Amino acid sequence: EVQLVESGGGLVQAGGSLRVSCAASGLTFDNYAIGWFRQAPGLEREGVACISNFDGTIVYKDFVKDRFTISSDNAKNTVFLQMNSLRPEDTAVYYCTAGTICSWLGKMYYYWGQGTQVTVSS
């Protein structure tokens, strides 16, 4: 059974930092792209960043470039999203997801975690 488990969310003040993690099990980690999406109340889910363990591709949405960094520890089957200079508008549930390629379309991914709440206070 494939499982993606997010952790590391929480409450932080604007300008602060958080690192969220996605631990994967039940899949061949090196063959997958791991994406981070987020969904704020009343808004559609949106892509944030993605890393492909298959070919090394890393992509970010413009609104997180230079603030967020995605990385992968293949020995631990874990992907991290380091979030710096956080803003209130970054408040959302953050989900990690696994698929064969990086895409901003959620339907391109096969597996999803349960999400972790990130709240940024002003």
Side-chain angles (χ1 to χ4, degrees):
E1 179 188 7
V2 175
Q3 283 193 318
L4 301 176
V5 180
E6 301 95 335
S7 62
L11 173 64
V12 64
Q13 288 188 331
S17 298
L18 276 177
R19 188 178 78 161
V20 290
S21 303
C22 173
S25 61
L27 52 74
T28 305
F29 192 69
D30 291 355
N31 291 346
Y32 281 83
I34 304 295
W36 283 98
F37 284 69
R38 70 186 186 186
Q39 188 165 21
L43 299 179
E44 292 188 354
R45 182 178 60 193
E46 60 182 357
V48 175
C50 180
I51 183 168
S52 170
N53 292 314
F54 180 72
D55 64 10
T57 299
I58 293 177
V59 290
Y60 298 97
K61 276 292 189 71
D62 284 346
F63 54 76
V64 300
K65 277 183 181 177
D66 300 324
R67 298 191 300 126
F68 291 10
T69 302
I70 191 170
S71 61
S72 182
D73 185 338
N74 287 28
K76 296 182 179 180
N77 282 13
T78 300
V79 168
F80 304 97
L81 185 68
Q82 176 68 43
M83 303 182 291
N84 299 328
S85 302
L86 283 161
R87 306 166 180 167
E89 54 264 40
D90 293 318
T91 295
V93 177
Y94 284 71
Y95 299 91
C96 70
T97 182
T100 54
I101 60 170
C102 282
S103 172
W104 300 130
L105 297 175
K107 66 181 181 180
M108 297 298 290
Y109 294 87
Y110 302 135
Y111 309 106
W112 292 81
Q114 82 289 349
T116 186
Q117 176 71 46
V118 171
T119 303
V120 185
S121 63
S122 58

mmCIF file of all heavy atoms in Angstrom, residues 1-32:
data_model
loop_
_atom_site.group_PDB
_atom_site.id
_atom_site.type_symbol
_atom_site.label_atom_id
_atom_site.label_comp_id
_atom_site.label_asym_id
_atom_site.label_seq_id
_atom_site.Cartn_x
_atom_site.Cartn_y
_atom_site.Cartn_z
ATOM 1 N N GLU A 1 0.841 -1.199 0.000
ATOM 2 C CA GLU A 1 0.000 0.000 0.000
ATOM 3 C C GLU A 1 0.875 1.248 0.000
ATOM 4 O O GLU A 1 1.786 1.380 0.803
ATOM 5 C CB GLU A 1 -0.899 0.013 1.236
ATOM 6 C CG GLU A 1 -1.791 1.244 1.332
ATOM 7 C CD GLU A 1 -2.514 1.318 2.668
ATOM 8 O OE1 GLU A 1 -2.229 0.488 3.558
ATOM 9 O OE2 GLU A 1 -3.363 2.215 2.827
ATOM 10 N N VAL A 2 0.594 2.152 -0.913
ATOM 11 C CA VAL A 2 1.336 3.403 -0.994
ATOM 12 C C VAL A 2 0.804 4.378 0.059
ATOM 13 O O VAL A 2 -0.402 4.558 0.212
ATOM 14 C CB VAL A 2 1.213 4.030 -2.386
ATOM 15 C CG1 VAL A 2 1.889 5.396 -2.414
ATOM 16 C CG2 VAL A 2 1.814 3.111 -3.440
ATOM 17 N N GLN A 3 1.737 4.982 0.772
ATOM 18 C CA GLN A 3 1.362 6.003 1.747
ATOM 19 C C GLN A 3 2.269 7.215 1.598
ATOM 20 O O GLN A 3 3.484 7.079 1.428
ATOM 21 C CB GLN A 3 1.472 5.473 3.171
ATOM 22 C CG GLN A 3 0.341 4.558 3.588
ATOM 23 C CD GLN A 3 0.327 4.304 5.075
ATOM 24 O OE1 GLN A 3 1.365 4.096 5.692
ATOM 25 N NE2 GLN A 3 -0.859 4.334 5.670
ATOM 26 N N LEU A 4 1.671 8.378 1.659
ATOM 27 C CA LEU A 4 2.392 9.649 1.719
ATOM 28 C C LEU A 4 1.944 10.337 2.994
ATOM 29 O O LEU A 4 0.749 10.569 3.184
ATOM 30 C CB LEU A 4 2.080 10.523 0.508
ATOM 31 C CG LEU A 4 2.389 9.951 -0.867
ATOM 32 C CD1 LEU A 4 1.912 10.912 -1.960
ATOM 33 C CD2 LEU A 4 3.873 9.682 -1.032
ATOM 34 N N VAL A 5 2.884 10.655 3.852
ATOM 35 C CA VAL A 5 2.546 11.241 5.138
ATOM 36 C C VAL A 5 3.277 12.567 5.290
ATOM 37 O O VAL A 5 4.513 12.603 5.343
ATOM 38 C CB VAL A 5 2.913 10.300 6.295
ATOM 39 C CG1 VAL A 5 2.545 10.939 7.625
ATOM 40 C CG2 VAL A 5 2.196 8.951 6.134
ATOM 41 N N GLU A 6 2.489 13.640 5.358
ATOM 42 C CA GLU A 6 3.063 14.970 5.543
ATOM 43 C C GLU A 6 3.211 15.273 7.028
ATOM 44 O O GLU A 6 2.431 14.790 7.856
ATOM 45 C CB GLU A 6 2.182 16.055 4.917
ATOM 46 C CG GLU A 6 1.924 15.911 3.432
ATOM 47 C CD GLU A 6 0.628 15.206 3.125
ATOM 48 O OE1 GLU A 6 0.157 14.429 3.991
ATOM 49 O OE2 GLU A 6 0.060 15.433 2.038
ATOM 50 N N SER A 7 4.191 16.090 7.329
ATOM 51 C CA SER A 7 4.378 16.556 8.694
ATOM 52 C C SER A 7 5.112 17.885 8.667
ATOM 53 O O SER A 7 5.655 18.278 7.623
ATOM 54 C CB SER A 7 5.163 15.531 9.517
ATOM 55 O OG SER A 7 6.449 15.333 8.975
ATOM 56 N N GLY A 8 5.118 18.566 9.808
ATOM 57 C CA GLY A 8 5.892 19.790 9.926
ATOM 58 C C GLY A 8 5.113 21.076 9.791
ATOM 59 O O GLY A 8 5.688 22.158 9.906
ATOM 60 N N GLY A 9 3.820 20.992 9.546
ATOM 61 C CA GLY A 9 3.030 22.210 9.470
ATOM 62 C C GLY A 9 2.889 22.854 10.844
ATOM 63 O O GLY A 9 3.313 22.300 11.861
ATOM 64 N N GLY A 10 2.295 24.028 10.869
ATOM 65 C CA GLY A 10 2.092 24.704 12.136
ATOM 66 C C GLY A 10 1.762 26.156 11.946
ATOM 67 O O GLY A 10 1.399 26.591 10.846
ATOM 68 N N LEU A 11 1.890 26.897 13.037
ATOM 69 C CA LEU A 11 1.589 28.332 13.047
ATOM 70 C C LEU A 11 2.896 29.115 13.112
ATOM 71 O O LEU A 11 3.764 28.818 13.946
ATOM 72 C CB LEU A 11 0.712 28.665 14.259
ATOM 73 C CG LEU A 11 0.421 30.141 14.530
ATOM 74 C CD1 LEU A 11 -0.381 30.745 13.384
ATOM 75 C CD2 LEU A 11 -0.309 30.295 15.859
ATOM 76 N N VAL A 12 3.023 30.107 12.247
ATOM 77 C CA VAL A 12 4.233 30.922 12.222
ATOM 78 C C VAL A 12 3.843 32.350 11.895
ATOM 79 O O VAL A 12 2.830 32.593 11.228
ATOM 80 C CB VAL A 12 5.233 30.358 11.186
ATOM 81 C CG1 VAL A 12 4.684 30.443 9.773
ATOM 82 C CG2 VAL A 12 6.592 31.021 11.289
ATOM 83 N N GLN A 13 4.642 33.285 12.355
ATOM 84 C CA GLN A 13 4.380 34.687 12.029
ATOM 85 C C GLN A 13 4.882 35.013 10.628
ATOM 86 O O GLN A 13 5.795 34.355 10.107
ATOM 87 C CB GLN A 13 5.067 35.595 13.039
ATOM 88 C CG GLN A 13 4.415 35.593 14.413
ATOM 89 C CD GLN A 13 4.997 36.649 15.324
ATOM 90 O OE1 GLN A 13 6.162 37.025 15.205
ATOM 91 N NE2 GLN A 13 4.181 37.148 16.252
ATOM 92 N N ALA A 14 4.298 36.024 10.044
ATOM 93 C CA ALA A 14 4.736 36.475 8.729
ATOM 94 C C ALA A 14 6.231 36.777 8.752
ATOM 95 O O ALA A 14 6.737 37.367 9.713
ATOM 96 C CB ALA A 14 3.954 37.709 8.306
ATOM 97 N N GLY A 15 6.906 36.346 7.713
ATOM 98 C CA GLY A 15 8.350 36.509 7.636
ATOM 99 C C GLY A 15 9.123 35.328 8.186
ATOM 100 O O GLY A 15 10.336 35.234 7.991
ATOM 101 N N GLY A 16 8.428 34.423 8.858
ATOM 102 C CA GLY A 16 9.074 33.266 9.446
ATOM 103 C C GLY A 16 9.253 32.123 8.464
ATOM 104 O O GLY A 16 8.965 32.253 7.264
ATOM 105 N N SER A 17 9.709 30.987 9.000
ATOM 106 C CA SER A 17 10.014 29.816 8.174
ATOM 107 C C SER A 17 9.398 28.560 8.765
ATOM 108 O O SER A 17 9.191 28.464 9.979
ATOM 109 C CB SER A 17 11.531 29.615 8.089
ATOM 110 O OG SER A 17 12.174 30.721 7.483
ATOM 111 N N LEU A 18 9.110 27.626 7.883
ATOM 112 C CA LEU A 18 8.666 26.282 8.263
ATOM 113 C C LEU A 18 9.237 25.313 7.248
ATOM 114 O O LEU A 18 9.447 25.675 6.077
ATOM 115 C CB LEU A 18 7.136 26.165 8.250
ATOM 116 C CG LEU A 18 6.325 26.610 9.459
ATOM 117 C CD1 LEU A 18 4.839 26.460 9.154
ATOM 118 C CD2 LEU A 18 6.701 25.844 10.700
ATOM 119 N N ARG A 19 9.435 24.081 7.688
ATOM 120 C CA ARG A 19 9.791 23.021 6.755
ATOM 121 C C ARG A 19 8.782 21.901 6.900
ATOM 122 O O ARG A 19 8.604 21.347 7.987
ATOM 123 C CB ARG A 19 11.195 22.482 7.015
ATOM 124 C CG ARG A 19 11.654 21.512 5.937
ATOM 125 C CD ARG A 19 13.061 21.006 6.147
ATOM 126 N NE ARG A 19 13.122 19.969 7.169
ATOM 127 C CZ ARG A 19 14.136 19.114 7.304
ATOM 128 N NH1 ARG A 19 15.170 19.197 6.475
ATOM 129 N NH2 ARG A 19 14.125 18.211 8.260
ATOM 130 N N VAL A 20 8.115 21.584 5.812
ATOM 131 C CA VAL A 20 7.194 20.460 5.810
ATOM 132 C C VAL A 20 7.849 19.282 5.106
ATOM 133 O O VAL A 20 8.676 19.460 4.201
ATOM 134 C CB VAL A 20 5.843 20.813 5.152
ATOM 135 C CG1 VAL A 20 5.070 21.776 6.039
ATOM 136 C CG2 VAL A 20 6.023 21.392 3.767
ATOM 137 N N SER A 21 7.486 18.090 5.541
ATOM 138 C CA SER A 21 8.093 16.864 5.025
ATOM 139 C C SER A 21 7.018 15.947 4.463
ATOM 140 O O SER A 21 5.867 15.981 4.919
ATOM 141 C CB SER A 21 8.835 16.127 6.137
ATOM 142 O OG SER A 21 9.805 16.944 6.737
ATOM 143 N N CYS A 22 7.418 15.131 3.520
ATOM 144 C CA CYS A 22 6.532 14.127 2.933
ATOM 145 C C CYS A 22 7.291 12.812 2.927
ATOM 146 O O CYS A 22 8.243 12.652 2.152
ATOM 147 C CB CYS A 22 6.138 14.534 1.525
ATOM 148 S SG CYS A 22 5.204 13.271 0.619
ATOM 149 N N ALA A 23 6.876 11.889 3.776
ATOM 150 C CA ALA A 23 7.505 10.574 3.848
ATOM 151 C C ALA A 23 6.689 9.590 3.028
ATOM 152 O O ALA A 23 5.491 9.431 3.256
ATOM 153 C CB ALA A 23 7.592 10.119 5.298
ATOM 154 N N ALA A 24 7.354 8.940 2.078
ATOM 155 C CA ALA A 24 6.676 8.021 1.167
ATOM 156 C C ALA A 24 7.036 6.584 1.492
ATOM 157 O O ALA A 24 8.173 6.282 1.871
ATOM 158 C CB ALA A 24 7.056 8.336 -0.276
ATOM 159 N N SER A 25 6.065 5.704 1.332
ATOM 160 C CA SER A 25 6.311 4.280 1.495
ATOM 161 C C SER A 25 5.434 3.512 0.507
ATOM 162 O O SER A 25 4.411 4.034 0.039
ATOM 163 C CB SER A 25 6.024 3.825 2.931
ATOM 164 O OG SER A 25 4.672 4.058 3.274
ATOM 165 N N GLY A 26 5.852 2.286 0.193
ATOM 166 C CA GLY A 26 5.052 1.443 -0.685
ATOM 167 C C GLY A 26 5.240 1.712 -2.164
ATOM 168 O O GLY A 26 4.487 1.180 -2.988
ATOM 169 N N LEU A 27 6.210 2.560 -2.521
ATOM 170 C CA LEU A 27 6.481 2.807 -3.932
ATOM 171 C C LEU A 27 7.986 2.894 -4.152
ATOM 172 O O LEU A 27 8.754 3.053 -3.203
ATOM 173 C CB LEU A 27 5.789 4.098 -4.401
ATOM 174 C CG LEU A 27 5.988 5.408 -3.621
ATOM 175 C CD1 LEU A 27 7.355 6.011 -3.827
ATOM 176 C CD2 LEU A 27 4.915 6.412 -3.987
ATOM 177 N N THR A 28 8.385 2.758 -5.411
ATOM 178 C CA THR A 28 9.802 2.876 -5.763
ATOM 179 C C THR A 28 10.101 4.361 -5.896
ATOM 180 O O THR A 28 9.873 4.978 -6.940
ATOM 181 C CB THR A 28 10.098 2.126 -7.061
ATOM 182 O OG1 THR A 28 9.671 0.759 -6.917
ATOM 183 C CG2 THR A 28 11.589 2.160 -7.363
ATOM 184 N N PHE A 29 10.607 4.922 -4.825
ATOM 185 C CA PHE A 29 10.719 6.373 -4.674
ATOM 186 C C PHE A 29 11.478 7.002 -5.829
ATOM 187 O O PHE A 29 11.094 8.073 -6.320
ATOM 188 C CB PHE A 29 11.409 6.664 -3.345
ATOM 189 C CG PHE A 29 11.360 8.087 -2.905
ATOM 190 C CD1 PHE A 29 10.166 8.664 -2.507
ATOM 191 C CD2 PHE A 29 12.511 8.856 -2.866
ATOM 192 C CE1 PHE A 29 10.108 9.984 -2.087
ATOM 193 C CE2 PHE A 29 12.474 10.172 -2.443
ATOM 194 C CZ PHE A 29 11.271 10.735 -2.046
ATOM 195 N N ASP A 30 12.557 6.349 -6.287
ATOM 196 C CA ASP A 30 13.399 6.923 -7.334
ATOM 197 C C ASP A 30 12.661 7.082 -8.662
ATOM 198 O O ASP A 30 13.139 7.806 -9.537
ATOM 199 C CB ASP A 30 14.643 6.067 -7.547
ATOM 200 C CG ASP A 30 15.589 6.128 -6.368
ATOM 201 O OD1 ASP A 30 15.326 6.912 -5.430
ATOM 202 O OD2 ASP A 30 16.589 5.395 -6.368
ATOM 203 N N ASN A 31 11.549 6.420 -8.838
ATOM 204 C CA ASN A 31 10.815 6.465 -10.104
ATOM 205 C C ASN A 31 9.719 7.516 -10.142
ATOM 206 O O ASN A 31 9.030 7.653 -11.152
ATOM 207 C CB ASN A 31 10.180 5.111 -10.396
ATOM 208 C CG ASN A 31 11.207 4.052 -10.710
ATOM 209 O OD1 ASN A 31 12.367 4.353 -10.964
ATOM 210 N ND2 ASN A 31 10.793 2.792 -10.675
ATOM 211 N N TYR A 32 9.552 8.254 -9.047
ATOM 212 C CA TYR A 32 8.417 9.156 -8.942
ATOM 213 C C TYR A 32 8.816 10.616 -8.847
ATOM 214 O O TYR A 32 9.891 10.960 -8.357
ATOM 215 C CB TYR A 32 7.568 8.797 -7.720
ATOM 216 C CG TYR A 32 6.669 7.617 -7.957
ATOM 217 C CD1 TYR A 32 7.152 6.314 -7.820
ATOM 218 C CD2 TYR A 32 5.347 7.801 -8.351
ATOM 219 C CE1 TYR A 32 6.334 5.228 -8.062
ATOM 220 C CE2 TYR A 32 4.517 6.715 -8.589
ATOM 221 C CZ TYR A 32 5.017 5.427 -8.447
ATOM 222 O OH TYR A 32 4.200 4.357 -8.686
#
